[in-house]
Amino acid sequence: MRYKILITLILVILMTSTNAFSQAVVEYHTVKVDNLDIFYRESGPKDGPILLLLHGVPTSSRMYQPMLESTLAKKYHLIAPDFPGFGYSSWPTPKDFRYTFDHLAQVMEDFAAVLKLDRYTLFLHDYGGPIGMRMAIAHPGNVDAIIIQNAVSHDEGLAPAWAARRAFWQDRESHEAEFRKTFLSLETTRKRHLGMSPHPERIDPDTWTDEFYFLSQPGQADIQTDLFFDYQTNVRSYSSWQKWLREHHPKMLVMWGKYDASFTLAGAEGYKKDVPEAELHILDAGHFALDEQPSQVIHLTEDFMDRLYHK
């Protein structure tokens, strides 16, 4: 009896050790696109269906590391680039590069072309939403499906805090100093991650201190201010994006952290109005759901992808 118990314990230890070291191998590359160095993370089989992961602000492709290392990489080819001005991609000055969402979308389209990505599922978070929607509308034949995680395409998805941001759009000269002081501060960066979570103790402080370090680098204040000023073009585009969604009815998965202080649940529900067959899951998380619920985000994504590509 003791012998059998010992054998069982040994097997459990071996299985645990194997699982601990079974995470997918992630590769880190840089490719030249439009005379820019575009950094990207990559995992999974090169011939597998592609999941193109577009990040938010002020993060980078780093936010997708849990997905890149997960079981998703056993079947799917995951690619997560850094936008110009973010992460390890080039940071040209605003004098040398137009920091607009139209321009970032064009660079991402060219990035996909350089890597010969002609069919993919888009995973869109925050700023990745308006960039990905532009890509989908420009090249609908390239998009197998769209996965949304707290990325807004409906005006009702913008929380009351956006009133001050709209004032900045209407009169940049009068409001820019205050915008820079608040939007680029450590406290605002912290609040992006904590949101309205009742469990702030579950969120690693490294997430916001690392991003604040990034925001504090030379040139970042100018880059992020120009780009956010252009965010108003996204709001003006919402109606055309909604029309496209209603007409094309893409396969769609929507995951929404309910403690997001910037993007309301109405933003998630808006996608269901445009694409009634879209799958909607409200998560016990904030704006950065991968910080708090990585297993759930990965499970929902993998289940959706399996049904999409392995019917």
Side-chain angles (χ1 to χ4, degrees), residues 133 148 150-158 238-239 241-247 249-250 252-256 263-282:
M133 286 303 301
I148 299 288
N150 291 67
V152 170
S153 294
H154 303 79
D155 197 68
E156 60 269 28
L158 300 178
Y238 285 168
S239 60
W241 299 351
Q242 293 160 23
K243 182 175 183 289
W244 184 88
L245 290 169
R246 291 193 297 270
E247 291 175 349
H249 280 257
M252 179 170 278
L253 167 65
V254 180
M255 297 177 284
W256 207 272
F263 295 159
T264 71
L265 286 175
E269 293 160 355
Y271 289 108
K272 283 288 286 185
K273 294 177 183 177
D274 297 327
V275 186
E277 59 271 31
E279 300 177 30
L280 173 59
H281 299 271
I282 305 303

Side-chain angles (χ1 to χ4, degrees), residues 58 161 165 182-183 185-197 203 207-209 211 259-262 286-288 291-292:
R165 299 168 187 179
T182 55
F183 189 79
S185 70
L186 176 60
E187 182 59 20
T188 298
T189 308
R190 173 178 173 271
K191 287 180 177 178
R192 285 191 193 100
H193 285 269
L194 297 184
M196 299 176 290
S197 175
I203 303 173
T207 57
W208 66 79
T209 54
E211 287 176 7
Y259 301 125
D260 193 329
S262 292
H287 184 70
F288 293 96
D291 288 352
E292 301 170 81

Side-chain angles (χ1 to χ4, degrees), residues 47-274:
D47 59 351
I50 295 166
L51 183 60
L52 183 57
L53 304 142
L54 301 183
H55 66 80
V57 65
T59 186
S60 67
S61 60
R62 178 184 174 185
M63 67 170 284
Y64 290 119
Q65 196 74 13
M67 299 183 76
L68 291 155
E69 295 175 350
S70 76
T71 53
L72 279 164
K74 291 182 179 179
K75 291 169 283 188
Y76 303 109
H77 186 187
L78 281 67
I79 300 174
D82 287 349
F83 304 143
F86 291 79
Y88 295 110
S89 288
S90 293
W91 296 5
T93 69
K95 292 181 180 179
D96 299 319
F97 183 90
R98 290 177 294 105
Y99 282 97
T100 67
F101 285 86
D102 281 345
H103 201 181
L104 294 192
Q106 184 61 60
V107 173
M108 288 298 101
E109 288 176 24
D110 295 342
F111 167 80
V114 169
L115 267 60
K116 297 181 170 54
L117 311 180
D118 54 2
R119 295 295 295 272
Y120 42 76
T121 288
L122 287 168
F123 190 111
L124 310 179
H125 175 259
D126 192 74
Y127 275 17
I131 292 169
M133 286 303 301
R134 284 170 168 81
M135 294 174 68
I137 291 172
H139 304 284
N142 292 1
V143 180
D144 290 334
I146 299 175
I147 300 174
I148 299 288
Q149 195 261 290
N150 291 67
V152 170
S153 294
H154 303 79
D155 197 68
E156 60 269 28
L158 300 178
W162 284 75
R165 299 168 187 179
R166 293 178 194 269
F168 168 59
W169 299 337
Q170 293 168 1
D171 185 352
R172 178 169 180 169
E173 184 177 357
S174 298
H175 294 89
E176 182 165 338
E178 182 61 25
F179 170 82
R180 288 178 179 242
K181 179 181 176 182
T182 55
F183 189 79
L184 303 173
S185 70
L186 176 60
E187 182 59 20
T188 298
T189 308
R190 173 178 173 271
K191 287 180 177 178
R192 285 191 193 100
H193 285 269
L194 297 184
M196 299 176 290
S197 175
H199 301 291
E201 72 279 1
R202 297 178 182 176
I203 303 173
D204 186 350
D206 286 351
T207 57
W208 66 79
T209 54
D210 286 357
E211 287 176 7
F212 180 67
Y213 175 80
F214 159 78
L215 287 173
S216 302
Q217 296 307 297
Q220 270 300 310
D222 293 337
I223 289 171
Q224 297 304 327
T225 300
D226 274 10
L227 188 56
F228 190 83
F229 184 73
D230 189 68
Y231 198 95
Q232 61 186 293
T233 65
N234 301 328
V235 179
R236 292 199 295 267
S237 299
Y238 285 168
S239 60
S240 62
W241 299 351
Q242 293 160 23
K243 182 175 183 289
W244 184 88
L245 290 169
R246 291 193 297 270
E247 291 175 349
H248 286 77
H249 280 257
K251 299 288 185 182
M252 179 170 278
L253 167 65
V254 180
M255 297 177 284
W256 207 272
K258 63 183 178 180
Y259 301 125
D260 193 329
S262 292
F263 295 159
T264 71
L265 286 175
E269 293 160 355
Y271 289 108
K272 283 288 286 185
K273 294 177 183 177
D274 297 327

